[in-house]
Amino acid sequence: MDSLIVASDDCLRGGGEAGALMRSIDWSSTPLGPVELWPPSLRTIVAVMLSSRFAMRVLWGPEFIVLYNDAYRPILGATKHPAAMGSPAASIFAEVWELVGPVFQRVRRGDAVAFDDALLPLDRNGYLEDCYFTVSYSPIRDEYGSVGGVLGVVHETTDRVLAERRLATLRDLAGCSTPDATPDEACRQASLALERNRADVPSTLLYLVDDDGRSARRVDTTGLDDDGLPAPSSVDLDPAAVAPWPLGRAASAGRCLVVGDLPRRPGELSAGSAAVLPLSRPGRARALGFLVARLNPRLAFDDRYRGFLELAGERIASTLATAIASQEERSSASASAALSAKLTQLEAALEEALLVKDEFLSTMNHELRTPLNAILGWTRMIRSGRVAVDQQKHALETIERNAVAETRLIEDLLDVSRMTSGSLRLDVAPVDLAEVVGAAVEAMRPSAEARWIRLQVALDPHACAVLGDRERLEQVVSSLLSNAVKFSHPEGRVELSLERADRSARLTVRDHGEGIAPGFLPFVFGHFRQGDQSITRRHGGAGLGLAIARHLVELHGGAITAESEGEGRGATFTVSLPLGRRG
């Protein structure tokens, strides 16, 4: 018995707040019984769970008694913790038991189950809240081979799911307008985009301000079937008029207003609320229209929710402004066809810029987080003593490699900023281009050899003296060579040649790898532009290297070109630089 008591002390040791809570509970009064009588399998898994930095919970026995660690505690919110510890799962998660109960029973029968981004409406902060989780449930077998409980490894993905869903709606709104749409048609197109996101905006009303500016007429709606949302065909814009919607007051305030005590939707337990947003042109006080959006009662109306609605309003306002401008242009006899074409061109450029920006931010989020995650992961493992002595060298090398990658990415971003502002300067001096190319080849050789890629180099050392910034020229060569190695097939080859061509030094880098799609070839040197996202995400990179290389080559008075016969047929990059004069 003494050995069992020591083991029980060990299994509840540490664990932060959750461990302290478990040690404070009189387990003899629970279905699990005294800790010293817990089966070894339960004590072992509890010890593992308490020491883990991942969100984990154990559901033990036929009643699925809940045990959890500190990382899982935020998932329970303010209403379920600390009562959940040691309680039957059916009582703690009553609101979703019909969904999760059968899953737990299935695991008790010996099956492992996993879900990605599963929706579970939880009451964890005083209201039913839409929560999303990626979970893995595994059976825990006892000493006799039977399943004694369920081990759940849980990762809450609510923030990401909401962000991706809202970003998709904003993209739809940015691309929903057509150049010849009337304001009414623009509203209907915006409604179609909003209709696809009933989770954030269950129902909406769109109003346009009448020409006299005294009232607003309803143009389109979404989700009003059995919704109970007041939808008058016309609303007075007097700021003193608040029923049913304070449109005039929202226009005067110039910001989002929230209206509560709305009729309940079917299946909802409480009165609803809605956001009223004025749709105004940038720099203009007068509203063009209004968006009334019912709020999802299962989502907290926090800054991110409000920000999403405000961005949606801005994009609808931008679409309306474009539609109104187009209508005014068509109705004006003096409007010229050239102005109309320019407006359409600007609109297309704006939409393209928004899409490129969104794609770039998504890529940068991945590229910045990837090395940081590796650095933080190994650092925390070292600090916690979980890295063996013989692994420490590998850990430090990994940290250093990812820190260098992060530094290089930040330097590229700074270079783009300097390029945009025109503040990037060269330290010009005579440079032996053959030495520069040779140094870049030697620096890249380990990476190439790691993938069994042959580097075939042919240099003309007698005719390649140029005037330039040695460091920046090395950056150009390294970028092209790195790209060629990155997109080459394993056991392939990269050919690099340097020769004199008239009064120029010509550097050619050729690979036989992924190649470039013909439609993307004209944009290969653009800022933040990447080709096939699946390929670039697989190989990594932020899409900045070629843009920086082109800018640096042009600062040196040279030119850079790209050629490819298509995807899977390799690519050739050629740099021409004017030869420097000696003496």
Side-chain angles (χ1 to χ4, degrees):
M1 182 61 70
D2 290 342
S3 63
L4 288 176
I5 294 174
V6 173
S8 69
D9 289 341
D10 287 341
C11 84
L12 299 185
R13 180 176 298 171
E17 180 184 349
L21 176 60
M22 292 180 69
R23 291 190 293 273
S24 71
I25 294 175
D26 178 11
W27 292 102
S28 62
S29 64
T30 72
L32 294 185
V35 178
E36 56 266 27
L37 298 182
W38 286 3
S41 54
L42 175 57
R43 280 183 269 135
T44 300
I45 199 66
V46 167
V48 171
M49 176 188 70
L50 288 177
S51 64
S52 176
R53 294 181 179 271
F54 288 94
M56 301 174 69
R57 66 177 177 181
V58 170
L59 308 176
W60 193 262
E63 293 184 320
F64 300 106
I65 302 302
V66 179
L67 306 168
Y68 54 89
N69 62 5
D70 269 359
Y72 184 82
R73 185 252 173 278
I75 294 174
L76 297 172
T79 61
K80 296 185 183 299
H81 173 83
M85 188 71 80
S87 298
S91 64
I92 299 301
F93 300 101
E95 67 273 27
V96 291
W97 191 248
E98 289 186 359
L99 297 174
V100 301
V103 175
F104 296 157
Q105 292 291 355
R106 178 181 168 187
V107 180
R108 284 269 298 175
R109 292 193 295 270
D111 294 334
V113 179
F115 300 100
D116 290 324
D117 299 331
L119 171 61
L120 292 177
L122 296 180
D123 179 3
R124 58 182 185 177
N125 291 299
Y127 66 95
L128 202 59
E129 176 184 357
D130 281 353
C131 305
Y132 295 85
F133 301 94
T134 292
V135 296
S136 174
Y137 294 120
S138 305
I140 306 171
R141 298 194 178 273
D142 60 22
E143 295 66 39
Y144 307 99
S146 301
V147 177
V150 176
L151 172 64
V153 180
V154 185
H155 175 59
E156 182 165 3
T157 59
T158 302
D159 288 346
R160 179 180 60 78
V161 171
L162 295 183
E164 291 178 353
R165 185 173 72 205
R166 291 166 181 175
L167 180 59
T169 298
L170 294 176
R171 285 177 173 171
D172 288 346
L173 288 171
C176 72
S177 64
T178 56
D180 57 347
T182 65
D184 288 39
E185 290 169 344
C187 286
R188 284 189 281 272
Q189 291 165 355
S191 289
L192 290 175
L194 295 172
E195 175 73 18
R196 290 190 284 270
N197 186 1
R198 301 281 291 269
D200 284 304
V201 280
S203 54
T204 63
L205 309 171
L206 273 172
Y207 287 86
L208 283 180
V209 175
D210 290 332
D211 293 338
D212 61 6
R214 296 179 180 178
S215 60
R217 59 183 176 86
R218 190 190 71 225
V219 178
D220 207 5
T221 66
T222 67
L224 288 191
D225 297 341
D226 299 324
D227 183 88
L229 196 69
S233 59
S234 180
V235 177
D236 187 357
L237 294 184
D238 185 346
V242 296
W245 302 114
L247 303 188
R249 195 170 68 187
S252 298
R255 60 183 176 84
C256 170
L257 299 180
V258 176
V259 178
D261 296 325
L262 297 178
R264 294 196 302 266
R265 298 174 65 215
E268 299 295 350
L269 302 178
S270 59
S273 58
V276 178
L277 298 102
L279 307 176
S280 305
R281 307 188 203 197
R284 302 286 184 89
R286 183 187 174 190
L288 304 174
F290 298 88
L291 168 64
V292 179
R294 181 187 278 274
L295 303 176
N296 185 345
R298 295 187 180 183
L299 296 175
F301 190 59
D302 53 17
D303 290 342
R304 287 173 293 184
Y305 200 169
R306 181 187 293 270
F308 159 68
L309 291 177
E310 288 174 346
L311 284 173
E314 289 174 8
R315 296 204 172 179
I316 296 172
S318 176
T319 299
L320 275 178
T322 301
I324 291 172
S326 298
Q327 187 177 57
E328 291 173 348
E329 182 180 353
R330 289 192 297 269
S331 64
S332 175
S334 61
S336 66
L339 181 60
S340 176
K342 183 179 180 180
L343 185 62
T344 302
Q345 195 174 39
L346 287 174
E347 181 186 32
L350 175 61
E351 293 179 7
E352 176 67 14
L354 288 171
L355 292 175
V356 169
K357 181 202 70 173
D358 289 341
E359 291 175 359
F360 173 68
L361 289 177
S362 176
T363 300
M364 288 307 302
N365 177 59
H366 172 80
E367 293 299 325
L368 287 169
R369 284 181 181 273
T370 297
L372 280 178
N373 287 339
I375 293 170
L376 288 173
W378 280 106
T379 301
R380 288 168 177 166
M381 289 176 66
I382 292 173
R383 291 182 65 184
S384 64
R386 290 186 290 151
V387 178
V389 174
D390 58 350
Q391 287 185 311
Q392 289 182 358
K393 180 180 178 182
H394 170 70
L396 293 174
E397 288 174 348
T398 303
I399 291 172
E400 181 180 17
R401 183 172 63 254
N402 282 278
V404 169
E406 191 83 3
T407 301
R408 186 180 303 116
L409 182 57
I410 292 172
E411 288 174 351
D412 284 349
L413 289 171
L414 290 175
D415 278 345
V416 171
S417 177
R418 296 186 190 105
M419 289 160 48
T420 303
S421 64
S423 60
L424 195 153
R425 297 290 182 266
L426 301 180
D427 184 10
V428 178
V431 176
D432 188 330
L433 198 55
E435 291 182 0
V436 170
V437 173
V441 169
E442 291 308 310
M444 185 55 59
R445 194 175 297 280
S447 297
E449 291 177 349
R451 300 182 61 213
W452 300 93
I453 295 173
R454 290 178 294 143
L455 299 181
Q456 297 182 353
V457 183
L459 305 180
D460 179 357
H462 303 296
C464 297
V466 299
L467 288 176
D469 186 319
R470 182 185 183 91
E471 182 178 345
R472 292 301 187 177
L473 289 174
E474 287 180 357
Q475 184 177 352
V476 171
V477 179
S478 296
S479 178
L480 295 179
L481 192 53
S482 173
N483 243 31
V485 171
K486 182 195 304 183
F487 292 104
S488 289
H489 303 303
E491 301 185 6
R493 74 178 187 276
V494 172
E495 303 163 12
L496 187 147
S497 65
L498 178 64
E499 59 187 349
R500 178 169 182 161
D502 296 329
R503 298 181 180 179
S504 299
R506 184 167 60 197
L507 171 69
T508 304
V509 180
R510 178 181 294 110
D511 67 75
H512 303 273
E514 303 285 357
I516 305 171
F520 184 70
L521 198 58
F523 308 103
V524 72
F525 293 107
H527 291 139
F528 313 136
R529 299 300 297 264
Q530 294 180 325
D532 186 335
Q533 290 292 312
S534 64
I535 294 175
T536 51
R537 180 54 57 86
R538 183 170 74 246
H539 293 292
L544 301 176
L546 292 179
I548 295 172
R550 182 191 67 174
H551 189 83
L552 292 176
V553 169
E554 291 176 351
L555 281 181
H556 282 82
I560 183 170
T561 60
E563 300 176 19
S564 177
E565 295 182 4
E567 294 177 292
R569 307 188 68 178
T572 301
F573 289 84
T574 304
V575 174
S576 295
L577 294 169
L579 293 173
R581 296 182 180 179
R582 298 185 180 274

